Amino acid sequence: MAKVGVLALQGAFREHREVLEALDVSVAEVRVPEHLSAVDALVIPGGESTTMTRLLDTSGLRAPLSERLRDGMPTFGTCAGLILLAAEVRDGRSDQVPLGALPVTVRRNGYGRQRDSFETGITVVGLAGAPFPGVFIRAPVVEFVAAGVEVLAAHDGRPVLVRHGRVWGATFHPELSGDLRIHQQFVQSINTAEGES
Ligand code: GLN
């Protein structure tokens, strides 16, 4: 069975861990390059993307993570995690260089002050049942998606859940919603990817 890492440099990594464990997934926290070598897939949590980007460099994880992403490691970034994976970040810090694994452009804190945080039901492609409770906290806005990026959910006409090959990104926090269905979809995609090889 696949082992799923949760990048544990900063942010809501414990919550992701708990959701994955509730799905009976074997989970490991990733803080240094050796931890990354031991996992088959990775979740990058929400938090503060400027801090997390800095920690990516100081931990020595940037180069090995970029390589794993190039090799097609299934990866799911939520909120700040999506910002880290993006190709281009607007309103980021000038020294904030993203990993460029997901060909989208995001604007940090794109919902502005008025709607800093909100919760809304979102319809997700492939999810049966009730709308997914989308928890948005100082969320980024996806302003551009390149050809080949699947938009799995949108809110107010903007993509909020996207996938490009094995890399997934959500502008909201599925780990804070109490609903396991999106993590379950991601975990299923890992198992499918494993079956291909
Ligand atoms: N606004 C944060 C950032 O720029 C993201 C917020 C979040 O992850 N909840 O990193």
Side-chain angles (χ1 to χ4, degrees):
M1 195 177 81
K3 189 179 252 316
V4 179
V6 180
L7 189 69
L9 299 174
Q10 191 260 341
F13 56 88
R14 281 183 201 89
E15 290 81 351
H16 276 292
R17 185 186 181 124
E18 283 164 17
V19 174
L20 291 164
E21 284 173 349
L23 290 169
D24 277 335
V25 172
S26 154
V27 190
E29 291 183 359
V30 171
R31 293 193 171 80
V32 292
E34 300 77 69
H35 297 166
L36 185 65
S37 320
V39 299
D40 305 297
L42 187 69
V43 173
I44 306 182
E48 178 47 56
S49 63
T50 52
T51 308
M52 242 190 277
T53 302
R54 187 169 48 70
L55 294 171
L56 207 54
D57 290 315
T58 54
S59 64
L61 273 165
R62 180 185 286 271
L65 178 52
S66 298
E67 197 182 318
R68 291 295 302 275
L69 286 163
R70 270 197 305 274
D71 288 350
M73 173 175 64
T75 304
F76 184 18
T78 59
C79 204
L82 163 62
I83 299 174
L84 258 67
L85 288 169
E88 190 187 333
V89 178
R90 296 182 174 149
D91 290 342
R93 241 174 45 181
S94 55
D95 60 350
Q96 185 173 350
V97 179
L99 292 159
L102 195 54
V104 302
T105 299
V106 294
R107 185 176 297 280
R108 286 184 62 227
N109 305 324
Y111 288 96
R113 274 203 194 158
Q114 269 175 316
R115 301 182 74 204
D116 245 358
S117 300
F118 59 98
E119 191 170 333
T120 186
I122 53 179
T123 303
V124 179
V125 173
L127 272 201
F132 192 89
V135 177
F136 293 78
I137 304 170
R138 288 170 53 80
V141 167
V142 174
E143 294 193 333
F144 169 78
V145 298
V149 174
E150 289 172 77
V151 176
L152 300 177
H155 171 65
D156 274 354
R158 289 141 156 185
V160 294
L161 179 64
V162 295
R163 180 169 67 193
H164 184 252
R166 292 176 188 167
V167 181
W168 299 52
T171 63
F172 54 97
H173 286 262
E175 78 285 7
L176 300 181
S177 63
D179 189 322
L180 311 183
R181 289 178 292 164
I182 291 179
H183 284 78
Q184 199 164 28
Q185 272 192 327
F186 174 63
V187 169
Q188 271 161 11
S189 81
I190 304 170
N191 297 330
T192 309
E194 283 198 328
E196 281 165 11
S197 53

mmCIF file of all heavy atoms in Angstrom, residues 20-50:
data_model
loop_
_atom_site.group_PDB
_atom_site.id
_atom_site.type_symbol
_atom_site.label_atom_id
_atom_site.label_comp_id
_atom_site.label_asym_id
_atom_site.label_seq_id
_atom_site.Cartn_x
_atom_site.Cartn_y
_atom_site.Cartn_z
ATOM 1 N N LEU A 20 -6.086 11.433 6.489
ATOM 2 C CA LEU A 20 -5.520 10.278 5.781
ATOM 3 C C LEU A 20 -5.572 9.036 6.659
ATOM 4 O O LEU A 20 -5.896 7.937 6.195
ATOM 5 C CB LEU A 20 -4.085 10.585 5.337
ATOM 6 C CG LEU A 20 -3.984 11.640 4.217
ATOM 7 C CD1 LEU A 20 -2.556 12.171 4.101
ATOM 8 C CD2 LEU A 20 -4.454 11.078 2.882
ATOM 9 N N GLU A 21 -5.287 9.225 7.953
ATOM 10 C CA GLU A 21 -5.342 8.067 8.852
ATOM 11 C C GLU A 21 -6.767 7.547 8.989
ATOM 12 O O GLU A 21 -6.981 6.339 9.070
ATOM 13 C CB GLU A 21 -4.734 8.434 10.207
ATOM 14 C CG GLU A 21 -3.211 8.468 10.110
ATOM 15 C CD GLU A 21 -2.509 8.987 11.358
ATOM 16 O OE1 GLU A 21 -3.188 9.533 12.260
ATOM 17 O OE2 GLU A 21 -1.274 8.858 11.417
ATOM 18 N N ALA A 22 -7.725 8.462 8.967
ATOM 19 C CA ALA A 22 -9.129 8.031 9.027
ATOM 20 C C ALA A 22 -9.490 7.208 7.793
ATOM 21 O O ALA A 22 -10.425 6.403 7.827
ATOM 22 C CB ALA A 22 -10.042 9.250 9.146
ATOM 23 N N LEU A 23 -8.746 7.407 6.709
ATOM 24 C CA LEU A 23 -8.982 6.618 5.494
ATOM 25 C C LEU A 23 -8.095 5.369 5.445
ATOM 26 O O LEU A 23 -7.966 4.723 4.405
ATOM 27 C CB LEU A 23 -8.691 7.488 4.254
ATOM 28 C CG LEU A 23 -9.688 8.614 3.970
ATOM 29 C CD1 LEU A 23 -9.147 9.557 2.899
ATOM 30 C CD2 LEU A 23 -11.032 8.050 3.542
ATOM 31 N N ASP A 24 -7.456 5.083 6.590
ATOM 32 C CA ASP A 24 -6.593 3.893 6.700
ATOM 33 C C ASP A 24 -5.367 3.960 5.803
ATOM 34 O O ASP A 24 -4.874 2.934 5.333
ATOM 35 C CB ASP A 24 -7.377 2.617 6.353
ATOM 36 C CG ASP A 24 -8.159 2.138 7.545
ATOM 37 O OD1 ASP A 24 -7.749 2.468 8.676
ATOM 38 O OD2 ASP A 24 -9.182 1.460 7.338
ATOM 39 N N VAL A 25 -4.897 5.177 5.548
ATOM 40 C CA VAL A 25 -3.697 5.346 4.724
ATOM 41 C C VAL A 25 -2.486 5.393 5.653
ATOM 42 O O VAL A 25 -2.557 5.944 6.753
ATOM 43 C CB VAL A 25 -3.807 6.663 3.920
ATOM 44 C CG1 VAL A 25 -2.513 6.979 3.195
ATOM 45 C CG2 VAL A 25 -4.978 6.585 2.940
ATOM 46 N N SER A 26 -1.400 4.823 5.206
ATOM 47 C CA SER A 26 -0.158 4.909 5.976
ATOM 48 C C SER A 26 0.489 6.272 5.695
ATOM 49 O O SER A 26 0.730 6.636 4.548
ATOM 50 C CB SER A 26 0.704 3.717 5.537
ATOM 51 O OG SER A 26 2.025 3.967 5.718
ATOM 52 N N VAL A 27 0.727 7.049 6.768
ATOM 53 C CA VAL A 27 1.136 8.450 6.620
ATOM 54 C C VAL A 27 2.491 8.694 7.291
ATOM 55 O O VAL A 27 2.786 8.102 8.335
ATOM 56 C CB VAL A 27 0.112 9.397 7.307
ATOM 57 C CG1 VAL A 27 0.398 10.843 6.954
ATOM 58 C CG2 VAL A 27 -1.312 9.049 6.925
ATOM 59 N N ALA A 28 3.290 9.581 6.710
ATOM 60 C CA ALA A 28 4.544 9.993 7.341
ATOM 61 C C ALA A 28 4.712 11.495 7.186
ATOM 62 O O ALA A 28 4.378 12.056 6.139
ATOM 63 C CB ALA A 28 5.714 9.269 6.681
ATOM 64 N N GLU A 29 5.207 12.142 8.228
ATOM 65 C CA GLU A 29 5.468 13.578 8.119
ATOM 66 C C GLU A 29 6.823 13.777 7.439
ATOM 67 O O GLU A 29 7.777 13.060 7.713
ATOM 68 C CB GLU A 29 5.435 14.218 9.512
ATOM 69 C CG GLU A 29 4.016 14.193 10.061
ATOM 70 C CD GLU A 29 3.854 14.877 11.411
ATOM 71 O OE1 GLU A 29 4.852 15.374 11.976
ATOM 72 O OE2 GLU A 29 2.708 14.896 11.901
ATOM 73 N N VAL A 30 6.856 14.751 6.535
ATOM 74 C CA VAL A 30 8.071 14.987 5.747
ATOM 75 C C VAL A 30 8.677 16.328 6.151
ATOM 76 O O VAL A 30 8.044 17.378 5.979
ATOM 77 C CB VAL A 30 7.742 14.965 4.236
ATOM 78 C CG1 VAL A 30 8.937 15.422 3.407
ATOM 79 C CG2 VAL A 30 7.282 13.576 3.809
ATOM 80 N N ARG A 31 9.899 16.276 6.697
ATOM 81 C CA ARG A 31 10.575 17.501 7.126
ATOM 82 C C ARG A 31 11.954 17.672 6.496
ATOM 83 O O ARG A 31 12.465 18.764 6.416
ATOM 84 C CB ARG A 31 10.755 17.504 8.652
ATOM 85 C CG ARG A 31 9.481 17.590 9.406
ATOM 86 C CD ARG A 31 9.717 17.908 10.887
ATOM 87 N NE ARG A 31 8.461 18.194 11.536
ATOM 88 C CZ ARG A 31 7.610 17.282 11.951
ATOM 89 N NH1 ARG A 31 7.896 16.007 11.798
ATOM 90 N NH2 ARG A 31 6.472 17.635 12.521
ATOM 91 N N VAL A 32 12.544 16.544 6.098
ATOM 92 C CA VAL A 32 13.900 16.575 5.530
ATOM 93 C C VAL A 32 13.928 15.640 4.310
ATOM 94 O O VAL A 32 13.036 14.793 4.162
ATOM 95 C CB VAL A 32 14.961 16.111 6.574
ATOM 96 C CG1 VAL A 32 15.091 17.124 7.712
ATOM 97 C CG2 VAL A 32 14.620 14.734 7.125
ATOM 98 N N PRO A 33 14.935 15.767 3.439
ATOM 99 C CA PRO A 33 14.972 14.973 2.208
ATOM 100 C C PRO A 33 14.818 13.464 2.434
ATOM 101 O O PRO A 33 14.135 12.799 1.645
ATOM 102 C CB PRO A 33 16.334 15.319 1.601
ATOM 103 C CG PRO A 33 16.575 16.732 2.051
ATOM 104 C CD PRO A 33 16.004 16.796 3.443
ATOM 105 N N GLU A 34 15.404 12.924 3.507
ATOM 106 C CA GLU A 34 15.297 11.461 3.725
ATOM 107 C C GLU A 34 13.841 11.033 3.909
ATOM 108 O O GLU A 34 13.450 9.943 3.498
ATOM 109 C CB GLU A 34 16.087 11.016 4.963
ATOM 110 C CG GLU A 34 17.580 11.316 4.924
ATOM 111 C CD GLU A 34 17.889 12.777 5.203
ATOM 112 O OE1 GLU A 34 17.694 13.210 6.349
ATOM 113 O OE2 GLU A 34 18.323 13.498 4.279
ATOM 114 N N HIS A 35 13.065 11.887 4.558
ATOM 115 C CA HIS A 35 11.647 11.553 4.751
ATOM 116 C C HIS A 35 10.938 11.465 3.395
ATOM 117 O O HIS A 35 10.077 10.624 3.183
ATOM 118 C CB HIS A 35 10.928 12.622 5.580
ATOM 119 C CG HIS A 35 11.438 12.766 6.977
ATOM 120 N ND1 HIS A 35 11.126 13.839 7.770
ATOM 121 C CD2 HIS A 35 12.224 11.958 7.730
ATOM 122 C CE1 HIS A 35 11.695 13.699 8.966
ATOM 123 N NE2 HIS A 35 12.371 12.574 8.955
ATOM 124 N N LEU A 36 11.329 12.351 2.477
ATOM 125 C CA LEU A 36 10.664 12.383 1.174
ATOM 126 C C LEU A 36 10.952 11.108 0.381
ATOM 127 O O LEU A 36 10.080 10.584 -0.310
ATOM 128 C CB LEU A 36 11.133 13.621 0.393
ATOM 129 C CG LEU A 36 10.441 13.873 -0.945
ATOM 130 C CD1 LEU A 36 8.951 14.181 -0.744
ATOM 131 C CD2 LEU A 36 11.112 15.030 -1.694
ATOM 132 N N SER A 37 12.179 10.608 0.523
ATOM 133 C CA SER A 37 12.540 9.386 -0.219
ATOM 134 C C SER A 37 11.677 8.204 0.201
ATOM 135 O O SER A 37 11.547 7.243 -0.544
ATOM 136 C CB SER A 37 13.999 8.986 0.035
ATOM 137 O OG SER A 37 14.815 10.102 0.074
ATOM 138 N N ALA A 38 11.112 8.279 1.412
ATOM 139 C CA ALA A 38 10.387 7.126 1.957
ATOM 140 C C ALA A 38 8.893 7.141 1.625
ATOM 141 O O ALA A 38 8.164 6.264 2.063
ATOM 142 C CB ALA A 38 10.571 7.090 3.471
ATOM 143 N N VAL A 39 8.423 8.153 0.881
ATOM 144 C CA VAL A 39 6.983 8.205 0.597
ATOM 145 C C VAL A 39 6.717 8.092 -0.906
ATOM 146 O O VAL A 39 7.582 8.369 -1.733
ATOM 147 C CB VAL A 39 6.333 9.498 1.156
ATOM 148 C CG1 VAL A 39 6.487 9.564 2.668
ATOM 149 C CG2 VAL A 39 6.885 10.757 0.494
ATOM 150 N N ASP A 40 5.473 7.673 -1.224
ATOM 151 C CA ASP A 40 5.081 7.479 -2.626
ATOM 152 C C ASP A 40 4.286 8.657 -3.158
ATOM 153 O O ASP A 40 4.077 8.775 -4.364
ATOM 154 C CB ASP A 40 4.196 6.226 -2.739
ATOM 155 C CG ASP A 40 4.886 5.019 -2.146
ATOM 156 O OD1 ASP A 40 5.949 4.643 -2.677
ATOM 157 O OD2 ASP A 40 4.390 4.465 -1.141
ATOM 158 N N ALA A 41 3.785 9.485 -2.257
ATOM 159 C CA ALA A 41 2.926 10.602 -2.656
ATOM 160 C C ALA A 41 3.064 11.654 -1.567
ATOM 161 O O ALA A 41 3.593 11.376 -0.486
ATOM 162 C CB ALA A 41 1.474 10.140 -2.764
ATOM 163 N N LEU A 42 2.598 12.872 -1.862
ATOM 164 C CA LEU A 42 2.790 13.951 -0.880
ATOM 165 C C LEU A 42 1.579 14.876 -0.835
ATOM 166 O O LEU A 42 0.997 15.214 -1.873
ATOM 167 C CB LEU A 42 4.032 14.772 -1.260
ATOM 168 C CG LEU A 42 4.471 15.834 -0.239
ATOM 169 C CD1 LEU A 42 5.020 15.172 1.025
ATOM 170 C CD2 LEU A 42 5.538 16.759 -0.841
ATOM 171 N N VAL A 43 1.233 15.298 0.382
ATOM 172 C CA VAL A 43 0.247 16.358 0.571
ATOM 173 C C VAL A 43 0.985 17.585 1.087
ATOM 174 O O VAL A 43 1.797 17.482 2.010
ATOM 175 C CB VAL A 43 -0.851 15.929 1.572
ATOM 176 C CG1 VAL A 43 -1.773 17.100 1.897
ATOM 177 C CG2 VAL A 43 -1.657 14.762 1.018
ATOM 178 N N ILE A 44 0.729 18.731 0.466
ATOM 179 C CA ILE A 44 1.334 19.990 0.931
ATOM 180 C C ILE A 44 0.204 20.824 1.532
ATOM 181 O O ILE A 44 -0.742 21.193 0.833
ATOM 182 C CB ILE A 44 2.027 20.743 -0.221
ATOM 183 C CG1 ILE A 44 3.036 19.809 -0.923
ATOM 184 C CG2 ILE A 44 2.722 21.994 0.310
ATOM 185 C CD1 ILE A 44 3.821 20.468 -2.052
ATOM 186 N N PRO A 45 0.272 21.100 2.834
ATOM 187 C CA PRO A 45 -0.880 21.702 3.523
ATOM 188 C C PRO A 45 -0.996 23.204 3.299
ATOM 189 O O PRO A 45 -0.108 23.837 2.714
ATOM 190 C CB PRO A 45 -0.563 21.429 4.993
ATOM 191 C CG PRO A 45 0.919 21.436 5.062
ATOM 192 C CD PRO A 45 1.395 20.853 3.754
ATOM 193 N N GLY A 46 -2.085 23.749 3.829
ATOM 194 C CA GLY A 46 -2.234 25.193 3.893
ATOM 195 C C GLY A 46 -1.420 25.734 5.057
ATOM 196 O O GLY A 46 -0.972 24.980 5.931
ATOM 197 N N GLY A 47 -1.252 27.013 5.061
ATOM 198 C CA GLY A 47 -0.447 27.657 6.098
ATOM 199 C C GLY A 47 -0.085 29.020 5.561
ATOM 200 O O GLY A 47 -0.946 29.755 5.107
ATOM 201 N N GLU A 48 1.174 29.323 5.571
ATOM 202 C CA GLU A 48 1.627 30.612 5.039
ATOM 203 C C GLU A 48 2.686 30.323 3.972
ATOM 204 O O GLU A 48 3.765 29.833 4.291
ATOM 205 C CB GLU A 48 2.177 31.469 6.196
ATOM 206 C CG GLU A 48 2.718 32.786 5.769
ATOM 207 C CD GLU A 48 1.781 33.545 4.816
ATOM 208 O OE1 GLU A 48 0.625 33.777 5.178
ATOM 209 O OE2 GLU A 48 2.216 33.875 3.693
ATOM 210 N N SER A 49 2.326 30.615 2.732
ATOM 211 C CA SER A 49 3.192 30.179 1.629
ATOM 212 C C SER A 49 4.553 30.861 1.635
ATOM 213 O O SER A 49 5.536 30.267 1.199
ATOM 214 C CB SER A 49 2.490 30.395 0.294
ATOM 215 O OG SER A 49 2.242 31.770 0.084
ATOM 216 N N THR A 50 4.626 32.094 2.131
ATOM 217 C CA THR A 50 5.935 32.766 2.148
ATOM 218 C C THR A 50 6.867 32.029 3.125
ATOM 219 O O THR A 50 8.016 31.734 2.803
ATOM 220 C CB THR A 50 5.796 34.245 2.569
ATOM 221 O OG1 THR A 50 5.055 34.310 3.781
ATOM 222 C CG2 THR A 50 5.077 35.048 1.517
#
